[in-house]
């Protein structure tokens, strides 16, 4: 790790100020990607702004049918929270399946979506239920937030503060793990919620998380595992690497979509 | 409770390990400690045109920046391969020059070109990044099967066509003739996937130079510290043996990768002298992936012929073996004498011929890894047997049984003479335990759940001990492969055993103590095992090839024989009896049939007081022995794997894994079962998960656990482990060895089971979900 300055932000304004003035400043939430990258000398922020202690930054509350999840809330908290279990159990089971216990007790929902790893679980879950990402500046619909590999709509001086999820009628997430990393080789979230019937896919797209029109149409017509069986999933635009060809990933999208529907 | 041979004694060393009191190389801190960081090539193949150290040398905490020209200028020798293998035309192997720090050319990603010595690890690492190396990038090749083609880049001037040797064993003409007359010939192309060893403790070295008497001490992660000292002294001219002490303290796993002497240890010793500082280097995991010797990487075509009754008439094998960019210490022996000599498997095969071409590629050097050559041989033989059975419509178990060697000793056509075994017993035991009879019903039930269920066998044999010295010497080994031991009985009767074997996970502190405590009728706590330090133990060949039981313990037995002889003489003298009537048991030395006895501790005291010893007897009670076995030992067994495959995803679950092994005498069944569990886990890792992947131009694509899949507990079933043993006739305890069997026997069992499930024989290792799904699609 290169030498750097560590800051513990007291408020969102404080964090934004350091982010603006600092030397290649980066926000630190759970650090589950950033710290590993820094240790490998692949990232070298001069200033590191820890946002975990900011009041209101973590924790979960229910506002009627809407879950409000603080950006610095850990995956373990999401997985174990009773409001999440009641309003959106899909999200609880998704969070319970991220990484391993150590990762889940440090990694945060805000950190995960700000990083927007193309194999991360949350982008598929939040896109499928048409979540809203609340920042220090504005409210961004999930459809506009995720913007390609490791890229989001966030501006340089913008800090995610919470994520809002409205209770879907039904939703489920099914993941096929890459054997080494256990990240999603393909993860599919199916939901019938605020955004209508949606099928969001992570791990497979060569430009990050995406929605699949064919599967959405089939499920909108009939919400059943059988309905997706006949859907053709093309391999165009899918990742191909040592862990899975585009054709294999295309197959897994259809299979995992069916399993998610069966579990919903 | 008995603590002797056959007792399930809990490991004495575990209290130290599980309470965090183990002392590993990285825990050592020398006087005036400094730290090394290596400057490594990011290119697979390049000419080094210049190294600019100015910026690095000026950085905070930097003590020195040293390069290969300085190293060779100081007379540090090239790294050598210590086992000479000649081509079939009689020409010697083409060993390319390998300097610990490259001088003019780098040949793999990770090849070291310079080292920074600094006050802290962080400062060393930062400065290493600031060393500017001017590289002229050259074309590179990572693939063994391309290395011999005309278009492949040449790695070493003295190895035209990248060929290290073109070696053969067996009678080619007779084998061709036998195959020509065969009623059925099975032909297969088989790849044995390249593996990274991944010991839990990464390699580490602490070099401590004492200028006052020009003496070096090296703490290092070694399976064989004496061999390290020998090689460092005799070949690399670091220091004479009496001026170099090598200590391998607690070592966290080796699997072969810590046998070899690497550039880092050599460089740390030299740098310690250059800077007059203690120098420490510990690999991080990324560095381990690009510097620890890899394993396997064989590309084979094979033909096995059968007569009309199903008896094997001949086996012809052609293998290309990747040895990486340079020849590591024992690399040459792995795809030759440790591989082709086991191609007879458990079977009567009159005609075998194997040709092996070893090649250079722009990859990490390849050397012995758990099993070393024998997993590759077992994979060829057992995949061929299963496939042949399917092609001929024969039951795979019965085809094996028909061809089993039944009479011992049995001379194979490929050097090995099997001394003992009962292959039917292992097959029968495994089949009963695996309930093979009930498999058809289980397959049907799985099908009702949409799963494809399959069953596969592997009847393995391997050769352990790697001995006798004269025999391995005649095959080119540059060392003798005996073992030494010293048994020191203290005046109070407690015993220290000094052994040349090294324990890095095997539990020697327990098992070695068991045989000593039993022999002299004393408690396990009264016996301590000392190993891993060249100043304490006179010499030792170390631990690899499952040899610590068969060879290391035999040396202890030989030393105990001498101790016992002296004890008898002392007791006979003191108790005024005949030596022949002396009995040692229950902490006492007695005269049989009388009430005359002395305590075990009294014998020690008598020996050291020397007030009342037989005439002409030297005082003291300490004996040593060197033991050189008469033959290899031959552990064998049958493994049966049962799998369920999800046809939608190719995901495979091992639902049952049954092992029946013949390890000869077992000292501690709990530890042996642990070895089997670990070995099978490693074999399943190779069969289903692990694979080192290089891009065509030699970049390592699996350089972390994000991409290199290690087996996890959740990938493995509960193992059903059984034992049907015959005693090894060639060593005093009857031990065969158990350390590698699991890794040798299991991969073909897994692949045979999956191919049985999916109905397609054409499946490469590792059988990842993607590979299995592809094979299912191809069979449709």
């Amino acid at each position: 790790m290169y030498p750097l300055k560590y800051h513990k932000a007291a408020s969102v304004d404080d964090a934004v100020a350091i982010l603006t003035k600092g030397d290649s400043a980066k926000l630190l939430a759970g650090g589950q990607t950033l710290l590993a990258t820094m240790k490998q000398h692949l990232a070298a922020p001069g200033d590191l702004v820890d946002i975990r202690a900011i009041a209101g930054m973590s924790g979960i509350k229910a506002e009627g049918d809407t879950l409000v999840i603080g950006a610095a809330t850990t995956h373990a908290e999401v997985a174990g929270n009773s409001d999440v279990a009641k309003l959106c159990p899909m999200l609880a089971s998704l969070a319970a399946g991220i990484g391993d216990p150590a990762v889940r007790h440090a990694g945060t929902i805000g950190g995960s979506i700000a990083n927007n790893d193309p194999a991360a679980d949350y982008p598929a879950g939040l896109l499928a239920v048409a979540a809203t990402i609340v920042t220090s500046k504005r409210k961004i619909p999930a459809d506009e937030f995720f913007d390609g590999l490791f890229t989001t709509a966030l501006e340089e001086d913008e800090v995610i503060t919470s994520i809002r999820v409205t209770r879907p009628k039904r939703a489920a997430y099914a993941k096929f793990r890459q054997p080494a990393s256990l990240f999603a080789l393909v993860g599919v979230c199916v939901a019938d919620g605020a955004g209508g019937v949606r099928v969001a896919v992570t791990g497979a797209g060569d430009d990050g998380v995406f929605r699949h029109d064919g599967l959405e149409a089939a499920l909108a017509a009939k919400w059943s595992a059988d309905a997706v069986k006949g859907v053709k999933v093309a391999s165009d635009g899918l990742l191909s690497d040592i862990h899975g060809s585009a054709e294999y990933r295309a197959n897994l999208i259809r299979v995992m979509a069916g399993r998610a529907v069966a579990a919903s | 409770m008995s603590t002797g041979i056959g007792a399930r004694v809990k490991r004495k060393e575990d209290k130290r390990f599980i309470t965090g009191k183990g002392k590993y190389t990285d825990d050592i801190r020398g006087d005036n400690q400094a730290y090394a960081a290596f400057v490594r090539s990011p290119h697979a193949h390049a000419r080094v045109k210049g190294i600019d150290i100015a910026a690095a040398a000026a950085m905070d905490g930097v003590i020195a920046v040293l390069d290969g020209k300085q190293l060779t200028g100081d007379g540090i020798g090239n790294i050598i391969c210590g086992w000479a293998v000649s081509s079939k035309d009689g020409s010697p192997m083409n060993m390319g020059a390998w300097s610990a720090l490259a001088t003019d050319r780098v040949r793999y990603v990770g090849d070291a070109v310079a080292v920074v010595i600094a006050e802290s690890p962080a400062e060393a690492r930062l400065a290493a990044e600031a060393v500017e190396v001017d590289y002229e990038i050259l074309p590179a090749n990572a693939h063994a099967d391309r290395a011999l083609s005309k278009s492949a880049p040449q790695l070493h001037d003295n190895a035209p066509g990248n060929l290290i040797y073109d070696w053969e064993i067996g009678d080619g003409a007779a084998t061709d003739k036998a195959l020509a007359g065969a009623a059925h010939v099975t032909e297969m192309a088989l790849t044995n996937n390249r593996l990274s060893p991944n010991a839990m403790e990464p390699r580490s070295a602490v070099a401590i130079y004492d200028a006052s008497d020009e003496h070096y001490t090296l703490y290092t992660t070694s399976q064989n510290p004496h061999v390290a000292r020998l090689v460092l002294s005799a070949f690399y001219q670091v220091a004479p043996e009496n001026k170099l002490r090598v200590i391998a303290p607690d070592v966290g796993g080796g699997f072969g990768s810590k046998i070899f002497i690497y550039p880092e240890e050599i460089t740390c010793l030299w740098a310690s002298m250059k800077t007059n500082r203690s120098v420490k280097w510990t690999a991080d995991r990324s560095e381990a992936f690009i510097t620890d010797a890899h394993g396997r990487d064989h590309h084979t075509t094979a033909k096995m012929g059968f007569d009309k009754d199903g008896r094997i008439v001949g086996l012809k094998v052609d293998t290309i073996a990747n040895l990486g960019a340079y020849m590591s210490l024992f690399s040459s022996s792995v795809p030759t004498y440790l591989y082709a000599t086991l191609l007879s498997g458990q079977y009567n095969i009159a005609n075998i011929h194997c040709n092996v071409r070893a090649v250079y590629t722009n990859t990490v050097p390849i050397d012995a890894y758990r099993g070393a050559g024998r997993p590759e041989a077992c994979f060829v033989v057992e995949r061929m047997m299963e496939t042949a059975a399917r092609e001929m419509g024969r039951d795979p178990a019965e085809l094996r049984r028909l061809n089993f060697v039944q009479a011992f000793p049995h001379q194979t056509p490929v050097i090995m003479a099997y001394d003992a075994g009962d292959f039917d017993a292992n097959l029968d035991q495994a089949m009963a335990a695996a309930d093979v009879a009930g498999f058809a019903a289980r397959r049907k039930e799985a099908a009702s759940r949409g799963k494809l269920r399959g069953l596969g066998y592997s009847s393995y044999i391997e050769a352990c001990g790697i001995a006798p010295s004269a025999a391995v010497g005649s095959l080119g080994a540059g060392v003798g492969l005996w073992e030494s031991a010293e048994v020191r009985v203290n005046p109070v009767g407690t015993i220290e055993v000094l052994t040349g074997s090294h324990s890095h996970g095997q539990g020697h502190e327990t098992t070695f103590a068991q045989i000593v405590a039993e022999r002299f009728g004393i408690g396990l706590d009264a016996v301590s095992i000392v190993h891993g330090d060249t100043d304490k133990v006179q010499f030792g060949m170390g631990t690899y090839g499952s040899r610590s039981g068969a060879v290391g313990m035999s040396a202890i037995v030989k030393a105990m024989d001498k101790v016992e002889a002296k004890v008898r003489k002392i007791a006979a003298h003191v108790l005024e009896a005949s030596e022949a009537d002396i009995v040692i048991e229950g902490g006492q030395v007695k005269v049989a049939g009388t009430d005359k006895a002395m305590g075990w501790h009294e014998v020690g005291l008598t020996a050291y007081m020397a007030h009342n010893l037989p005439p002409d007897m030297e005082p003291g009670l300490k004996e040593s022995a060197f033991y050189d076995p008469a033959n290899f030992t031959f552990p064998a067994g049958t493994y049966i794997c049962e799998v369920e495959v999800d046809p939608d995803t190719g995901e495979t679950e091992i639902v049952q894994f049954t092992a029946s092994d013949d390890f000869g005498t077992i000292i501690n069944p709990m530890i042996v079962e642990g070895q089997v569990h670990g070995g099978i886990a490693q074999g399943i890792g190779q069969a289903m998960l692990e694979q080192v992947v290089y891009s065509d131009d030699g970049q390592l694509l699996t350089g972390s656990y994000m991409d290199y899949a290690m087996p996890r507990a959740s990938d493995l079933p509960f193992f059903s482990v059984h034992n049907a043993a015959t005693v090894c006739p060639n060593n005093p305890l009857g031990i065969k060895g158990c350390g590698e069997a699991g890794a040798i026997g299991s991969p073909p069992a897994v692949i045979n089971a999956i191919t049985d499930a999916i109905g397609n024989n054409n499946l490469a290792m590792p059988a990842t979900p993607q590979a299995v799904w592809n094979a299912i699609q191809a069979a449709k």
Side-chain angles (χ1 to χ4, degrees), chain B residues 36-249:
Chain B
F38 286 84
V39 179
R40 299 188 181 281
S41 172
H43 309 295
H45 199 189
R47 209 173 295 286
V48 178
K49 294 168 71 182
I51 302 174
D52 183 352
I53 66 163
M59 288 173 72
D60 286 348
V62 173
I63 298 162
V65 184
L66 304 169
D67 67 18
K69 288 208 168 72
Q70 292 167 282
L71 178 112
T72 51
D74 280 355
I76 302 296
N78 282 333
I79 299 171
I80 52 100
C81 173
W83 194 308
V85 172
S86 297
S87 285
K88 55 194 175 194
D89 65 5
S91 59
M93 63 189 187
N94 299 320
M95 182 157 59
W98 184 11
S99 172
L101 296 175
T103 51
D104 57 344
R105 213 158 133 192
V106 287
R107 292 180 175 85
Y108 67 98
V109 171
D111 210 349
V113 292
V115 66
V116 174
I117 312 299
E119 299 291 346
S120 72
E123 285 167 328
R125 189 171 169 193
L126 284 174
E129 289 181 5
V131 173
E132 286 180 29
V133 184
D134 184 9
Y135 293 107
E136 177 193 338
I137 297 171
L138 300 171
N141 168 49
H143 303 310
D145 43 7
R146 203 196 135 208
L148 294 167
S149 75
K150 284 204 173 65
S151 64
Q154 298 295 296
L155 268 74
H156 295 277
D157 295 343
N158 65 335
N162 298 313
L163 184 69
I164 297 169
Y165 51 70
D166 184 354
W167 174 92
E168 68 174 352
I169 192 171
D171 188 333
T175 305
D176 286 341
K177 196 176 159 200
L179 289 172
H184 176 84
V185 175
T186 288
E187 190 168 354
M188 294 185 84
L190 296 160
T191 297
N192 207 279
N193 42 320
R194 182 181 185 120
L195 304 175
S196 172
N198 289 297
M200 196 177 285
E201 179 206 22
R203 284 191 301 117
S204 179
V206 178
I208 302 168
Y209 179 66
D210 180 347
S212 66
D213 61 357
E214 296 176 337
H215 182 276
Y216 295 80
T217 302
L218 175 68
Y219 289 87
T220 186
T221 46
S222 176
Q223 302 177 212
N224 33 236
H226 289 86
V227 174
R229 184 177 68 159
L230 170 67
V231 174
L232 286 162
S233 291
F235 296 101
Y236 310 144
Q237 280 89 39
V238 172
E241 280 177 281
N242 63 324
K243 293 286 187 185
L244 173 58
R245 177 184 185 185
V246 178
I247 302 169

Side-chain angles (χ1 to χ4, degrees), chain A residues 2 41 243 248 251 259, chain B residues 129 646 648-649 707 712 770:
Chain A
Y2 294 109
H41 284 196
H243 302 293
Y248 183 54
N251 171 66
R259 289 184 186 176
Chain B
E129 289 181 5
D646 179 341
D648 292 337
T649 63
D707 291 303
R712 296 169 165 91
Q770 145 120 350

Side-chain angles (χ1 to χ4, degrees), chain B residues 237-360:
Chain B
Q237 280 89 39
V238 172
E241 280 177 281
N242 63 324
K243 293 286 187 185
L244 173 58
R245 177 184 185 185
V246 178
I247 302 169
D250 284 330
V251 174
F255 312 114
S257 69
K258 292 171 181 168
I259 298 172
F260 326 118
I261 319 306
Y262 289 88
E264 292 83 6
E265 294 99 288
I266 300 168
T267 303
C268 284
L269 281 165
W270 168 70
S272 178
M273 181 273 293
K274 290 295 267 189
T275 59
N276 202 19
R277 299 286 297 265
S278 298
V279 172
K280 180 188 283 191
W281 167 81
T282 300
D284 59 25
R285 189 56 69 183
S286 304
E287 225 171 357
F289 271 109
I290 56 168
T291 65
D292 292 358
H294 290 173
R296 322 277 194 255
D297 208 349
H298 278 204
H299 304 264
T300 295
T301 56
K303 289 181 193 171
M304 190 182 258
F306 296 82
D307 69 14
K308 62 178 178 23
D309 299 321
R311 289 197 166 79
I312 308 166
V313 296
L315 172 63
K316 187 151 176 117
V317 177
D318 183 35
T319 294
I320 298 175
N322 192 350
L323 294 192
Y326 303 100
M327 293 187 76
S328 176
L329 189 62
F330 291 120
S331 58
S332 57
S333 65
V334 176
T336 50
Y337 294 109
L338 299 179
Y339 164 67
T341 55
L342 273 306
L343 284 171
S344 197
Q346 297 189 355
Y347 312 110
N348 277 300
I349 308 180
N351 303 289
I352 298 176
H353 179 260
C354 178
N355 196 95
V356 179
R357 287 168 291 170
V359 299
Y360 287 117

